[in-house]
Amino acid sequence: MEQPKIPVEIIMQQLAEDAGKVQERAQKASDILLGSLDTAIATTPYEVIYRQDRVTLKHYPAEAGTESSVKTPLLVVYALINRETMLDLQPGRSVVSSFLKAGVDLYMVDWGYPTRKDRFLTIDDHVNVYLDDVVDFVRERTGHDTINLMGICMGGSFCVMYSALHPEKVKNLITTVCPTNFDTDQGLLHIWMKHVDVDRMIDAFGNMPGDLMNFGFLLLNPARLMIDKYIGFLENMDNKAFVENFIRMEKWIFDSPDVPGETFKQFVKDCYQKNLLINSRLYLNGKRVDLRKITMPLLNIYGLYDHLVPPGAADVLTSKVGSADTEDVCLDTGHIGIYVSSKTQKEFVPKIVQWLTERENPAKGGAGRKGARKKKETVRKKRETAAGKRSVRAGRKIEK
């Protein structure tokens, strides 16, 4: 009889040691999960200074003693999908906190939770009523004729529409992970939306349910979002910081407001299915959204590995606007990583503050078109590198 290559006693000793480690980890995980956990999100102090229907405006007072080279107020507009709390998810990785430390006078729109009476609100209501009223409120409150506007995802699309229709009120425009070109097959979401019967969907639900959208997002990458993520949790249950951050993210993901039915329907039809926005053929309240009227400086930031707004859906914008001062910045991260990853926390807000500082006093000038072209070349190289990697793997009335 052939002798085993590894003595039985060594195998048994290893099994006993592994069992001991598992028991130790299980006990530590039990103590953490049954103990006191800090899982609060959106903890940076703010005051609600404006309210109209379900829409509110948050103002984050700058930290005492902080001086900023950016004097113009910054208004942040989040998407109707999920909530703006993403920008203040956890201590140490808060976009809101980083802006305040830089002394930026920060305002942020909270779209609230739509009810049945909101079903027939359109994109025009959100852009030309709610957003326009908020912008006018900030301008009146701060005494600035123009403000800096930063849009995120679908909120970015709204800001692009707003800037084209009301350019006289926007000093600088910043778009982040913002879909504007919907004629791309880079992301599964874009392929699905081209074929969805949105009329039947809204006839059935009224408003588009947030839970249903979340389910769809999970199906975009089920292996990673429904399996790997929870395996990772099981493997790190004995790490308190990991557990707290995991729960914060889960609380944000499943705090998903519905989207007003007519707005959702219009966004799917006019943008995903007809691609009207990027071609300046979108009309709101009878007025054409002409991107050539976006003549203010534009900073466009997106993620190389964004599966919801892939680079092809975001990087066409700068070539379509009328501004001579545009810049694309492609970060090595995904849709949410831009706001929460420790790596991009060191790049995202500092880049925006620097870019705004250079344009605070126009006499000092910005990067200009020449700088933009140079950046484009960098973006193109990143996309080519990413394509190579993928190939390998394929193996809102005023209350003062």
Side-chain angles (χ1 to χ4, degrees), residues 41-42 58 60 78-79 81-90 93-96 108 152 177 248-253 255 335-341 345:
I41 64 176
K58 299 176 177 177
Y60 294 83
Y78 201 80
I81 301 166
N82 293 120
R83 294 198 65 212
E84 76 292 343
T85 48
M86 166 54 68
L87 301 183
D88 191 26
L89 196 64
Q90 64 190 78
R93 298 184 187 179
S94 167
V95 170
V96 168
M108 190 150 60
I152 296 170
V177 296
R248 289 189 183 102
M249 181 63 77
E250 292 294 287
K251 290 171 71 173
W252 174 79
I253 290 174
D255 177 17
H335 193 72
I336 302 302
I338 274 186
Y339 311 105
V340 300
S341 81
Q345 281 284 316

Side-chain angles (χ1 to χ4, degrees), residues 44 68 146 161 236 320 333 352:
T44 302
S68 176
T146 58
M161 299 173 195
N236 292 277
K320 296 290 185 177
T333 186
I352 293 173

Side-chain angles (χ1 to χ4, degrees), residues 74-81 84 87 95 99 106-109 111 127 131 135 147-163 170 172-180 297-302 306 309 314 317 335 338-339 348 352 355-356:
L74 174 64
L75 173 64
V76 176
V77 182
Y78 201 80
L80 298 183
I81 301 166
E84 76 292 343
L87 301 183
V95 170
F99 274 128
L106 183 63
Y107 297 80
M108 190 150 60
V109 174
W111 294 110
V127 172
L131 182 52
V135 169
I147 66 170
N148 294 327
L149 190 61
M150 171 177 154
I152 296 170
C153 193
M154 184 188 197
S157 305
F158 286 3
C159 288
V160 169
M161 299 173 195
Y162 184 83
S163 298
V170 182
N172 298 294
L173 173 62
I174 304 160
T175 51
T176 68
V177 296
C178 167
T180 49
L298 166 63
L299 175 63
N300 184 40
I301 304 176
Y302 50 93
D306 191 333
V309 185
L317 177 63
H335 193 72
I338 274 186
Y339 311 105
F348 184 68
I352 293 173
W355 186 84
L356 288 176

Side-chain angles (χ1 to χ4, degrees), residues 62-79:
E63 294 185 1
T66 303
E67 291 189 7
S68 176
S69 53
V70 181
K71 307 299 182 185
T72 307
L74 174 64
L75 173 64
V76 176
V77 182
Y78 201 80

Side-chain angles (χ1 to χ4, degrees), residues 123-185:
I123 293 178
D124 174 55
D125 294 311
H126 288 88
V127 172
N128 286 319
V129 180
Y130 291 127
L131 182 52
D132 190 37
D133 287 350
V134 165
V135 169
D136 284 345
F137 175 77
V138 175
R139 294 168 64 223
E140 179 181 345
R141 174 186 170 96
T142 62
H144 286 79
D145 293 334
T146 58
I147 66 170
N148 294 327
L149 190 61
M150 171 177 154
I152 296 170
C153 193
M154 184 188 197
S157 305
F158 286 3
C159 288
V160 169
M161 299 173 195
Y162 184 83
S163 298
L165 294 171
H166 306 274
E168 73 282 1
K169 300 181 184 180
V170 182
K171 181 172 184 174
N172 298 294
L173 173 62
I174 304 160
T175 51
T176 68
V177 296
C178 167
T180 49
N181 173 42
F182 297 84
D183 186 19
T184 175
D185 291 335

